[in-house]
Short mmCIF file of all heavy atoms in Angstrom, two decimals:
data_model
loop_
_atom_site.label_atom_id
_atom_site.label_comp_id
_atom_site.label_asym_id
_atom_site.label_seq_id
_atom_site.Cartn_x
_atom_site.Cartn_y
_atom_site.Cartn_z
N CYS A 53 -14.81 -90.04 -1.41
CA CYS A 53 -14.37 -89.55 -0.07
C CYS A 53 -14.30 -88.05 -0.20
O CYS A 53 -13.65 -87.53 -1.21
CB CYS A 53 -13.06 -90.18 0.27
SG CYS A 53 -12.41 -89.57 1.80
N PHE A 63 -6.88 -95.82 -3.63
CA PHE A 63 -7.41 -95.33 -2.41
C PHE A 63 -6.41 -95.76 -1.35
O PHE A 63 -6.67 -96.62 -0.53
CB PHE A 63 -8.82 -95.75 -2.08
CG PHE A 63 -9.55 -94.81 -1.06
CD1 PHE A 63 -9.71 -93.54 -1.26
CD2 PHE A 63 -10.09 -95.40 0.06
CE1 PHE A 63 -10.38 -92.77 -0.30
CE2 PHE A 63 -10.78 -94.72 1.04
CZ PHE A 63 -10.85 -93.33 0.91
N ASN A 71 -3.96 -99.79 2.13
CA ASN A 71 -5.27 -99.67 1.62
C ASN A 71 -6.21 -98.93 2.65
O ASN A 71 -6.04 -99.25 3.92
CB ASN A 71 -5.95 -100.97 1.33
CG ASN A 71 -5.30 -101.60 -0.02
OD1 ASN A 71 -5.00 -100.77 -0.98
ND2 ASN A 71 -5.20 -102.91 -0.05
N LEU A 72 -7.01 -98.03 2.20
CA LEU A 72 -7.85 -97.35 3.21
C LEU A 72 -9.29 -97.76 2.92
O LEU A 72 -9.66 -98.06 1.86
CB LEU A 72 -7.74 -95.77 2.89
CG LEU A 72 -6.31 -95.27 3.16
CD1 LEU A 72 -6.17 -93.88 2.78
CD2 LEU A 72 -5.88 -95.42 4.65
N ASP A 73 -10.16 -97.43 3.90
CA ASP A 73 -11.62 -97.48 3.86
C ASP A 73 -12.21 -96.38 4.62
O ASP A 73 -11.51 -95.58 5.19
CB ASP A 73 -12.21 -98.88 4.19
CG ASP A 73 -11.95 -99.25 5.61
OD1 ASP A 73 -11.94 -98.32 6.46
OD2 ASP A 73 -11.75 -100.45 5.95
N SER A 74 -13.57 -96.35 4.67
CA SER A 74 -14.21 -95.22 5.29
C SER A 74 -13.83 -95.05 6.83
O SER A 74 -13.97 -94.03 7.41
CB SER A 74 -15.76 -95.26 5.13
OG SER A 74 -16.21 -96.51 5.80
N THR A 75 -13.43 -96.19 7.45
CA THR A 75 -13.11 -96.05 8.82
C THR A 75 -11.69 -95.72 9.17
O THR A 75 -11.28 -95.47 10.30
CB THR A 75 -13.53 -97.41 9.57
OG1 THR A 75 -12.66 -98.47 9.03
CG2 THR A 75 -14.96 -97.76 9.47
N THR A 76 -10.87 -95.93 8.15
CA THR A 76 -9.38 -95.72 8.40
C THR A 76 -8.78 -94.47 7.67
O THR A 76 -7.69 -94.19 7.84
CB THR A 76 -8.58 -96.91 7.90
OG1 THR A 76 -8.74 -97.18 6.54
CG2 THR A 76 -8.85 -98.20 8.72
N VAL A 77 -9.65 -93.74 6.96
CA VAL A 77 -9.15 -92.69 6.13
C VAL A 77 -9.16 -91.34 6.97
O VAL A 77 -10.06 -91.13 7.82
CB VAL A 77 -9.94 -92.45 4.87
CG1 VAL A 77 -11.41 -91.99 5.07
CG2 VAL A 77 -9.22 -91.51 3.93
N ALA A 78 -8.15 -90.49 6.80
CA ALA A 78 -8.09 -89.13 7.39
C ALA A 78 -7.65 -88.23 6.18
O ALA A 78 -6.65 -88.56 5.48
CB ALA A 78 -7.03 -89.07 8.42
N TYR A 85 -4.65 -90.02 4.06
CA TYR A 85 -3.80 -90.70 4.91
C TYR A 85 -4.50 -91.80 5.83
O TYR A 85 -5.67 -91.61 6.10
CB TYR A 85 -3.09 -89.78 5.91
CG TYR A 85 -2.32 -88.69 5.22
CD1 TYR A 85 -2.91 -87.50 5.10
CD2 TYR A 85 -0.97 -88.77 4.92
CE1 TYR A 85 -2.15 -86.35 4.43
CE2 TYR A 85 -0.29 -87.87 4.25
CZ TYR A 85 -0.85 -86.64 3.98
OH TYR A 85 -0.20 -85.56 3.47
N CYS A 86 -3.71 -92.80 6.24
CA CYS A 86 -4.24 -93.63 7.27
C CYS A 86 -4.20 -92.77 8.52
O CYS A 86 -3.42 -91.86 8.65
CB CYS A 86 -3.43 -94.91 7.45
SG CYS A 86 -1.77 -94.78 8.03
N LYS A 87 -4.92 -93.15 9.56
CA LYS A 87 -5.03 -92.41 10.76
C LYS A 87 -3.61 -92.27 11.49
O LYS A 87 -3.30 -91.20 12.08
CB LYS A 87 -6.06 -92.92 11.74
CG LYS A 87 -7.42 -92.71 11.09
CD LYS A 87 -8.57 -93.00 12.01
CE LYS A 87 -9.90 -92.61 11.36
NZ LYS A 87 -11.05 -92.71 12.27
N SER A 88 -2.86 -93.22 11.52
CA SER A 88 -1.58 -93.33 12.08
C SER A 88 -0.58 -92.30 11.41
O SER A 88 -0.02 -91.48 12.13
CB SER A 88 -0.92 -94.71 11.94
OG SER A 88 0.38 -94.64 12.50
#
Side-chain angles (χ1 to χ4, degrees):
C53 177
F63 200 61
N71 285 323
L72 301 173
D73 62 33
S74 63
T75 62
T76 60
V77 70
Y85 299 94
C86 66
K87 292 190 177 187
S88 178

